[in-house]
Amino acid sequence: MPSFLYKSDPVRGRQWAEVFQRQAAALDFRIWPDIGDPADVHYLAAWEPPPDIATRFPNLKLLFSSGAGVDQFNFAALPPELPIVRMVEPGIIRGMVEYVTHAVLELHRDRPAYRRQQAEGLWRPLPVRTAGERRVGVLGLGSLGQAVLQALHGLGFDCAGWSRSRHTVPGVSCFAGADELSAFLARSEILVCLLPLTEATRGLLDATLFQHLPRGAALVQVGRGAQLVIADLLTALDSGQLSEAMLDVTDPEPLPPGHALWLHPRVQITPHIASMTQPHSAAEVVLDNLRRFEAGEPLIGLVDRMRGY
Ligand code: NDP
Ligand code: OXD
């Protein structure tokens, strides 16, 4: 009997199992390390696949990332023809929309400044601007970036997005490619990073990029820690080029005790919780992809190994 092997958090795995039992009883759903006969494993969902995946599972047909990112995969260790699918599911999208909307509203309405004022017992109103007067830019127009922009546009923000290829998103000014990055940054008072980690985006959030932002801009980093050059962030915060940073991802995770970012008055850190794959909706999407695969239809979230995402 062909099996679907799940190698990630086992508690969530049991929730996946319920959906599979209801909808795909012909598939033997197994949770790592209970792999059964490795030759039966046709499908694997993992955050980190086992290093010997290429030899261990000779009949593997599809590899799913249990998250939206695939930067944790070592592509070189995977069979070259094995299709890789990242997680595109409504639950993870909703979570990211909540997190980023909250972060942008906090920054827009000066909540970090008011917290600092409160700590000093200061009652001092700051100028209030409407959402329409606040320009927000999102790096990445993928499944998460576009959903976040839709929500921010709905709140009335003046929105822009940047991606590798050209996109059209209703109500959003879209920029594409390296040539248009500086124009996009020049109008981003609140910059949100929702890019995948690839060789092209590693270290992208650096001093040069910060210099292109309006003075006093704020950063919301929800992509991957290695995209941010921490020393450049600290310099930009200390000089006033950046006013605030909200970081959900860091490199390393967690930051070591005593790291300068932990106690920086203009930095807020959350422990990589901006969003998470939701087991029930994720299992539904994976089952739909299995059906698509068997029918020879395009897969949702198929990774392009050359692009790295
Ligand atoms: P997608 O693959 O759907 O979208 C990626 C977007 O980034 C695309 O618009 C793509 O452009 C753009 N992009 C990639 N490389 C470049 C580049 N070099 N220059 C310009 N644009 C580029 O990913 P998702 O939206 O699903 O997820 C994005 C990332 O969010 C994940 O990879 C992960 O790192 C992070 N994430 C973080 C979470 C957290 O809790 N902090 C939770 C989930 C995800 P194009 O459209 O042209 O291909
Ligand atoms: C993901 C994440 O990629 O949680 O899904 O970061």
Side-chain angles (χ1 to χ4, degrees), residues 47 67-72 86-89 92-93 95-96 99 139-147 162-167 175-178 181 193-202 204 221-225 227 248-249 253 270-277 301-303 307-309:
W47 180 247
V70 290
D71 52 285
Q72 73 282 12
R86 66 201 170 76
M87 193 53 73
V88 181
E89 63 91 11
I92 199 168
I93 294 174
M96 188 57 81
Y99 183 97
L139 292 162
L141 284 172
S143 56
L144 300 176
Q146 290 205 23
W162 181 72
S163 53
R164 219 167 69 122
S165 58
R166 178 79 52 203
H167 289 269
F175 295 78
L181 178 58
C193 178
L194 265 169
L195 290 168
L197 178 63
T198 65
E199 282 321 301
T201 66
R202 187 179 295 278
L204 184 75
Q221 165 56 330
V222 276
R224 283 290 183 264
Q227 290 158 344
D248 182 58
V249 288
E253 288 181 2
T270 47
H272 200 143
I273 47 71
S275 190
M276 247 168 244
T277 300
L302 184 65
V303 169
R307 292 186 322 192
Y309 66 96

Side-chain angles (χ1 to χ4, degrees), residues 1-4 16-30 43 283 287 290:
M1 185 180 195
S3 69
F4 187 107
W16 283 56
E18 286 163 20
V19 179
F20 272 69
Q21 267 151 25
R22 273 201 311 273
Q23 298 188 31
L27 215 46
D28 185 16
F29 188 91
R30 290 181 168 267
Y43 310 106
L287 284 171
L290 294 186

Side-chain angles (χ1 to χ4, degrees), residues 161-233:
W162 181 72
S163 53
R164 219 167 69 122
S165 58
R166 178 79 52 203
H167 289 269
T168 306
V169 183
V172 175
S173 306
C174 292
F175 295 78
D179 291 349
E180 296 178 16
L181 178 58
S182 50
F184 162 80
L185 294 171
R187 48 102 57 231
S188 296
E189 295 171 284
I190 299 176
L191 180 71
V192 178
C193 178
L194 265 169
L195 290 168
L197 178 63
T198 65
E199 282 321 301
T201 66
R202 187 179 295 278
L204 184 75
L205 303 175
D206 67 357
T208 309
L209 181 142
F210 298 146
Q211 274 311 319
H212 284 99
L213 294 168
R215 186 161 177 82
L219 173 69
V220 179
Q221 165 56 330
V222 276
R224 283 290 183 264
Q227 290 158 344
L228 174 66
V229 180
I230 292 178
D232 291 1
L233 171 68

Side-chain angles (χ1 to χ4, degrees), residues 51-75:
D52 59 352
I53 177 174
T55 49
R56 192 154 181 190
F57 304 118
N59 297 315
L60 193 61
K61 296 184 194 177
L62 279 182
L63 170 63
F64 294 90
S65 169
S66 59
V70 290
D71 52 285
Q72 73 282 12
F73 286 2
N74 173 11
F75 288 175

